[in-house]
Structures are given as structure tokens and as C-alpha cells.
Amino acid sequence: MRRLALISLLVLPGCFYPADRGRALEAKVDRLGTDTTQLQSELKETREQLAATLPKIDEKVAEVTKALKGLDTASRRKDADIGIQFQKTVEDLAQLRGQVETYLHKITELEAALAAQDQKLVAMQGEAALKEAEAKKKAEELKRPTDKKEFLALANQKAKAGDLLLARQLFNEFMKKWPKDGLVGDAHFGLGETYFSESKCREALFEYGKVLQDFPKAASAPESYLRSSDCFAQLKMKEESRLALEELIKSYPKSAEAKTAKARIAEMDKKAKKARK
């Protein structure tokens, strides 16, 4: 029962994982994204209209040239007919030029509006979002191993090198690619480690909890208890921190992590005894 209570603390969204965090921000970003899409569509349509109009100007210029040449052969046609044709062609040309100017002005306005939208998105999402976008781009350019163990090793390598956002991309991709594989537990642990290294204990606890709940036989399970204890300690949750150590000793008594847990509990008891004196 104590183990279940501990795992509940780790994996229940309402307790630790900030599932609701940023929903209002996401809604605003979504609205901006929709507006941006509409602007991009309108800009594309205007550019297409401009592209369709420009050849018509060339045609009208050719007609004007032809009309001017016709003035030299006025004997074949009435001067009045040539003058009317010429005047109409000039008017059509002026109208087309007006359309081009309108399209160019609209394109300028739309481009300015899109630039403003981009600035709003950057300001709203902040530096973290920009870094995530960069990490996503790097992940897209990165060559992945086809072997699952090598793939996971690459993600761990990026994490150890401090490229945390890229590592998170790879861990999440691993879990989607091999969702039922036993190594998914180690991927959750690796993901938790990226958060732990940034002292994001609530996020880390959720990942460690996933290991203990869904992949108790994973190689990283004992260390997940140990890390959970560290996180609880950082969150000033002393009882939960001790409970994680006790469950580690009980569940994995022969592990090296269990030895570490015993030493930590002994140190806790020593400090508690001193405090009572």
C-alpha cells in the first residue's frame, strides 16, 4: 500500500505533474497560429493575383506598341478608329498598373502583419520556446540509428553532453517508435534525468513514476527510486523522500542503489537524533 501511495504521488497529474500549466498560454498561441495561417493564405493569394496580372501588362504594352505602329499605316484604316483603339489600350494598361500597385501595397501590409505576429509569438513563448524550436530542427537534421539500443544510447549521449532539449526530443521519439519495448522504462528515466539536471523536480518525478509504475523490471527502476527521493527532498517533502528510500530497499534489496538508500536513511536518523537533543 505504501508503494502504491508513493507511485500515486509520482504519476498522478493533479499531485505533481503540471498538466494544466500553460494551457491559457497554449490557447493564445493557437489563436495566433490560426491568425498567422490566415495571413499567410491571404498573402499567397495576393501574390498569385499579382503574378497573373503582370503578363496582362506585357500584353497591353504590346497592344500599345502595335497601335502606335498602326498610326504609320493610317491610310489603311480611319484615324478615328486607330485613336479609339489606342485610347482604350492605354486605359486598360493604366487600370492594370493600378491593380499591380494595389497588390504590392497589400503584400507589404500582409508581410508587416506576419512579422508582427511572429514577434508576438516569440514574446509569448519566450526563449524556452525558441530553444525548443532549435532543438526540434537539430533533431530533424540528426541521423538516427535504426537499432533501438543505439537510438537510446544516442539520446543518453546528448543528455550527458548537456544538449537537454535535443535529448528530450529523442527520448520522446524513442517512446513513440517502440512503445511496448522494455527499454521505454529507461527512456522515461533518461527523460526524467534531463529535468532533474535542471532542478525541474515535478517533471522529473512524473517520469521516474512512469518507470516504477509501468516498467518495474527496467534497469533504471532502482535509481528511479533514488532520484525520486532526491526530488522529494528538494521539494521539502521529507517523509516522501524517506519513503522512496525505504521502498527502494524493499523492492530491490540487492541493488547498489539499495546500499546507498540505507546509508541515506542512517544519515537521516542521525540528524533527527541530533535535532531531538
Side-chain angles (χ1 to χ4, degrees):
M1 289 297 294
R2 295 202 318 165
R3 181 178 181 275
L4 289 175
L6 178 65
I7 291 177
S8 295
L9 278 175
L10 294 170
V11 301
L12 285 180
C15 293
F16 280 97
Y17 186 61
D20 295 330
R21 186 183 65 182
R23 283 186 179 174
L25 175 61
E26 290 173 2
K28 290 180 180 179
V29 170
D30 287 342
R31 285 196 295 273
L32 279 174
T34 300
D35 292 343
T36 298
T37 300
Q38 291 175 348
L39 285 171
Q40 288 173 337
S41 177
E42 191 173 350
L43 178 59
K44 181 182 178 183
E45 183 181 350
T46 304
R47 283 176 172 161
E48 288 174 351
Q49 289 172 338
L50 175 62
T53 303
L54 290 175
K56 293 179 182 179
I57 290 181
D58 293 336
E59 291 175 8
K60 289 299 175 182
V61 169
E63 287 181 21
V64 170
T65 303
K66 185 178 179 180
L68 287 172
K69 289 181 179 179
L71 292 174
D72 296 333
T73 58
S75 59
R76 299 177 188 174
R77 296 173 61 187
K78 293 180 180 180
D79 291 345
D81 291 341
I82 295 173
I84 291 170
Q85 181 187 352
F86 180 75
Q87 180 63 32
K88 185 178 184 306
T89 303
V90 170
E91 288 174 358
D92 290 345
L93 181 58
Q95 184 179 0
L96 288 169
R97 282 178 174 169
Q99 288 179 3
V100 169
E101 289 177 1
T102 299
Y103 292 147
L104 289 173
H105 179 69
K106 189 174 182 180
I107 286 172
T108 300
E109 288 185 335
L110 288 170
E111 287 176 339
L114 280 170
Q117 289 289 86
D118 288 342
Q119 289 180 353
K120 285 181 183 178
L121 282 169
V122 169
M124 189 170 291
Q125 293 174 314
E127 185 179 351
L130 288 176
K131 288 183 178 178
E132 285 182 9
E134 290 174 2
K136 186 176 181 180
K137 185 177 179 181
K138 287 172 70 175
E140 290 172 353
E141 296 172 351
L142 186 66
K143 185 177 181 181
R144 284 123 168 104
T146 54
D147 180 78
K148 59 187 178 183
K149 290 184 179 180
E150 292 179 3
F151 194 110
L152 187 59
L154 176 64
N156 283 317
Q157 177 189 334
K158 294 299 179 183
K160 289 178 181 178
D163 205 342
L164 301 179
L165 293 177
L166 177 56
R168 285 171 196 160
Q169 293 272 349
L170 294 172
F171 282 127
N172 282 313
E173 189 174 329
F174 180 93
M175 288 185 273
K176 289 178 182 178
K177 195 174 181 68
W178 294 283
K180 296 182 180 180
D181 195 276
L183 288 174
V184 170
D186 294 327
H188 276 294
F189 177 79
L191 190 54
E193 289 289 87
T194 67
Y195 290 121
F196 181 80
S197 65
E198 293 183 325
S199 296
K200 294 179 179 178
C201 283
R202 286 174 172 80
E203 291 89 339
L205 280 168
F206 178 78
E207 299 302 332
Y208 298 143
K210 291 294 288 182
V211 179
L212 299 173
Q213 181 185 45
D214 299 333
F215 304 93
K217 294 183 179 180
S220 55
E223 195 169 0
S224 291
Y225 269 124
L226 207 56
R227 286 299 204 202
S228 295
S229 176
D230 291 333
C231 285
F232 282 128
Q234 287 190 33
L235 293 169
K236 309 298 181 185
M237 300 174 70
K238 294 181 180 179
E239 290 183 11
E240 289 78 6
S241 178
R242 183 187 184 100
L243 178 58
L245 296 175
E246 290 173 348
E247 286 303 314
L248 165 55
I249 296 168
K250 182 179 177 181
S251 300
Y252 306 96
K254 296 182 180 180
S255 66
E257 289 81 8
K259 185 177 180 180
T260 301
K262 289 177 183 177
R264 290 188 182 183
I265 289 175
E267 185 63 25
M268 288 178 182
D269 291 340
K270 186 178 178 181
K271 287 182 179 179
K273 189 175 180 180
K274 276 187 178 180
R276 288 194 295 268
K277 287 182 179 180

